[in-house]
Amino acid sequence: TISSTAEKVVYLVVFHLSFVMFVWSYGKTIFTSPATPSNEFCLSKTDKEQYEKEERPESQQEILRRAAKDLPIYTTTASRAIRYCDRCQLIKPDRCHHCSACDVCVLKMDHHCPWVNNCVGFSNYKFFLLFLMYSLLYCLFVAATVLQYFIKFWTNELPHTHAKFHVLFLFFVAAMFFISILSLFSYHCWLVGKNRSTIETFRAPTFRNGPDKNGFSLGCSKNLREVFGDEKKYWLLPIFTSLGDGCNFPTRLVTMDPEQLTASSQNEPAKSSGANQSFPTRPLSESQNRLLAGDCQWVESGPEEENVKSGAKKHIIVSLES
């Protein structure tokens, strides 16, 4: 009949489309190389020689502070030391961590995933999320289409053939993978909404005012756009659209959740940027590294002056337009 033919066509289209998107996302997650810090974070030959000659940690830190004073770095270790990788011999940008499996420093590292044999970080985090989403949809589609045969199996309506065991196995596999992937995908959706990585969930980044788990959060909408980009038509496609360069990240540098800023903004004046978005009155200056400079004073300047000072690094502090 026409209806049954149309159902088969829809089934085949959905099946092949979900499978293609699943394989595409999975392949991009696997074969996309982890993004590494740019050369500006590497020590010069002179600084590297001095660093290796020094035996006292205080002297080594002084060399690192001098080399990092013009870098867009706003986080330190828990002991207020410069985050330096002895293995890669470079100053770590914010949210960058060294992967022992890949033996490289990975920008905005989330974790090393054995299922894809690759690091999940700035360069492929969007692909990883889409891989989880399409895996989830694919498992759901397989389980839903096999469900009717699974019910017939238990009601003895399925013909006595060897295929019934295949149906039983396929349904259980699809259902178990769906449940496990659903928990992982839900967790990473929460991370995107909070603009955190898995590493930052267990160890909050340390800013000038101390550890702050919400230091990089700009609100759910802007956090989402930081990962998926401004063009919504590309959100569901495994092509790179994430904002930024992986070394510099917008930050509010607050000690409270962004959802709680509404109440506090009524008690003190706040600056506006972009689409009338309120920000704390004392953000770090993007024209110099206020954290490493050790200056206790904050820089107050108007929006126009801030834009002039920021230059090529203006995206360090400014918000993502909503």
Side-chain angles (χ1 to χ4, degrees):
T1 61
I2 298 178
S3 59
S4 60
T5 304
E7 290 177 358
K8 291 180 179 179
V9 171
V10 173
Y11 173 85
L12 290 175
V13 170
V14 174
F15 176 81
H16 286 93
L17 181 61
S18 60
F19 182 75
V20 168
M21 297 303 293
F22 162 73
V23 173
W24 188 7
S25 303
Y26 186 49
K28 293 286 287 186
T29 307
I30 294 176
F31 296 109
T32 301
S33 300
T36 56
S38 57
N39 293 331
E40 65 175 330
F41 292 92
C42 297
L43 292 179
S44 63
K45 185 178 180 179
T46 304
D47 290 337
K48 188 181 299 183
E49 292 177 353
Q50 292 179 354
Y51 181 85
E52 293 175 351
K53 290 180 181 179
E54 291 291 345
E55 298 181 356
R56 296 186 306 160
E58 296 81 4
S59 300
Q60 290 179 336
Q61 278 296 307
E62 184 62 30
I63 295 174
L64 295 180
R65 286 180 179 273
R66 184 173 63 252
K69 64 179 181 180
D70 295 324
L71 295 177
I73 300 175
Y74 300 100
T75 60
T76 63
T77 64
S79 59
R80 301 292 183 174
I82 303 298
R83 299 173 64 246
Y84 180 76
C85 179
D86 293 307
R87 186 78 174 178
C88 299
Q89 295 185 331
L90 54 81
I91 298 173
K92 294 180 182 179
D94 294 341
R95 317 185 80 176
C96 175
H97 299 275
H98 184 86
C99 176
S100 58
C102 298
D103 197 25
V104 293
C105 283
V106 180
L107 297 180
K108 195 186 177 183
M109 180 179 175
D110 187 89
H111 68 286
H112 184 89
C113 182
W115 295 102
V116 299
N117 192 29
N118 196 8
C119 263
V120 177
F122 176 76
S123 59
N124 61 352
Y125 189 61
K126 175 189 175 183
F127 307 148
F128 178 74
L129 290 174
L130 293 179
F131 160 63
L132 293 180
M133 184 184 72
Y134 288 121
S135 301
L136 192 66
L137 294 177
Y138 188 63
C139 291
L140 179 62
F141 178 76
V142 172
T145 52
V146 179
L147 179 61
Q148 56 178 325
Y149 302 102
F150 179 76
I151 296 175
K152 290 181 180 180
F153 171 82
W154 289 105
T155 57
N156 295 323
E157 297 179 11
L158 197 66
H160 292 283
T161 62
H162 294 291
K164 61 183 181 180
F165 297 103
H166 299 163
V167 169
L168 185 66
F169 176 78
L170 182 61
F171 178 80
F172 272 112
V173 169
M176 287 188 295
F177 269 96
F178 174 80
I179 295 174
S180 60
I181 295 175
L182 178 61
S183 60
L184 182 61
F185 180 67
S186 301
Y187 173 69
H188 279 279
C189 287
W190 179 79
L191 290 180
V192 172
K194 294 292 185 179
N195 202 345
R196 301 177 197 167
S197 65
T198 301
I199 296 177
E200 292 168 351
T201 302
F202 294 98
R203 185 172 65 249
T206 303
F207 294 90
R208 179 183 180 182
N209 57 341
D212 188 355
K213 62 181 180 180
N214 296 312
F216 293 106
S217 183
L218 305 173
C220 185
S221 177
K222 293 182 180 180
N223 294 341
L224 185 66
R225 296 178 65 179
E226 186 171 317
V227 175
F228 289 94
D230 293 323
E231 298 290 339
K232 293 183 179 181
K233 60 183 178 181
Y234 298 125
W235 281 12
L236 299 180
L237 297 177
I239 57 178
F240 185 80
T241 55
S242 301
L243 301 180
D245 58 3
C247 297
N248 309 323
F249 292 94
T251 172
R252 282 182 163 181
L253 297 180
V254 295
T255 56
M256 63 183 70
D257 200 291
E259 286 79 359
Q260 301 174 351
L261 287 177
T262 305
S264 62
S265 62
Q266 296 176 355
N267 299 328
E268 61 177 347
K271 291 185 178 181
S272 297
S273 177
N276 296 325
Q277 176 66 45
S278 296
F279 286 87
T281 58
R282 293 178 176 179
L284 291 182
S285 172
E286 61 236 61
S287 59
Q288 70 179 72
N289 195 322
R290 304 294 298 173
L291 176 65
L292 302 179
D295 189 354
C296 297
Q297 301 297 324
W298 293 91
V299 176
E300 299 287 349
S301 58
E304 296 181 358
E305 184 180 350
E306 289 287 341
N307 292 335
V308 173
K309 289 182 177 181
S310 60
K313 300 177 181 177
K314 62 183 178 181
H315 58 284
I316 299 175
I317 302 297
V318 298
S319 66
L320 305 172
E321 295 183 359
S322 57

